[in-house]
Amino acid sequence: MSRYPTWLTDRSGTAPAEGYEDPEAARLALRRLASGVTVLTVSQGGVRHGTTASAVVTLSRDPLVLGACLRPTSKFASLVRRAGRFSVNVLSSAQNDVARRFANPGRPLGDAQFEGFDWSTDPLTGAPLLGGSLAHMACRILGWHQVGDHDMLLAEVTGGSHTVNSPMLSFAGRMHSAAVTPAASSGASPAAVPTVSVSPSEVS
């Protein structure tokens, strides 16, 4: 027996009858949850592929486990199920063109979608690592869970690298370039705590 309600794993398109007093207000509120923007990459059977994803979250720090939400019919989902491994490229605020390329459903398949970008091969996964990214992570798939209209991929982070830069964020349905300043230590006055400055990028 599934531990999830039937409506959560049923893809018939039937929404739950209860629990949503104002569905539109709930949807708009959820869009205010800011998240980092990534490009997930995979290499399977000589085919390399990437996709822009903002629904990537840390689930555990010991062991290191992340979750990524994917459309079950996507090319990436099909390839990564067979590959068993993939890489995460955490985009910096300067990578608008990268986010746009890999979010474009009309982009070419295979290596052609990486043309014009500096990239190397992840020695742990064989997937492309995009130059200029804020961080890279090598991941090994642990499992999948069907949740509504998406699949949640669970993966162990087996390696990684990072740089010092500002992130790209997804907020209110748009991509934003963020200028992030570390907050003051506890005990500091509210005036001493810096804010995060975000501005819409050209990526819709």
Side-chain angles (χ1 to χ4, degrees):
M1 177 180 295
S2 173
R3 62 182 182 278
Y4 302 111
T6 302
W7 64 262
L8 192 59
T9 57
D10 178 15
R11 291 194 173 131
S12 64
T14 302
E18 69 286 338
Y20 290 92
E21 295 182 0
D22 189 337
E24 181 63 11
R27 184 184 69 83
L28 291 175
L30 189 59
R31 283 161 61 94
R32 266 55 183 181
L33 182 62
S35 60
V37 180
T38 72
V39 170
L40 308 181
T41 55
V42 63
S43 179
Q44 167 61 25
V47 177
R48 298 180 182 87
H49 186 73
T51 187
T52 299
S54 58
V56 177
V57 296
T58 301
L59 297 178
S60 169
R61 296 186 184 277
D62 186 16
L64 293 172
V65 177
L66 62 74
C69 287
L70 303 169
R71 288 183 296 104
T73 58
S74 69
K75 179 70 171 179
F76 183 86
S78 174
L79 289 172
V80 80
R81 284 180 182 274
R82 287 177 279 158
R85 294 180 181 273
F86 65 99
S87 295
V88 179
N89 299 269
V90 182
L91 299 190
S92 73
S93 58
Q95 291 180 293
N96 292 348
D97 54 342
V98 177
R100 183 187 304 111
R101 169 76 62 82
F102 292 97
N104 181 2
R107 67 189 182 282
L109 297 178
D111 286 357
Q113 66 191 288
F114 295 92
E115 288 183 3
F117 298 132
D118 178 34
W119 64 276
S120 59
T121 300
D122 189 328
L124 297 178
T125 68
L129 298 179
L130 294 163
S133 297
L134 188 62
H136 297 124
M137 288 174 277
C139 300
R140 177 177 64 87
I141 293 178
L142 299 176
W144 295 79
H145 292 277
Q146 180 181 321
V147 183
D149 59 0
H150 278 63
D151 283 344
M152 169 69 82
L153 179 158
L154 304 182
E156 180 183 12
V157 179
T158 59
S161 62
H162 72 280
T163 62
V164 178
N165 210 327
S166 295
M168 180 175 289
L169 298 178
S170 174
F171 176 73
R174 296 187 65 183
M175 303 296 184
H176 295 257
S177 297
V180 180
T181 303
S185 59
S186 59
S189 64
V193 180
T195 59
V196 176
S197 174
V198 298
S199 59
S201 74
E202 297 176 359
V203 183
S204 60

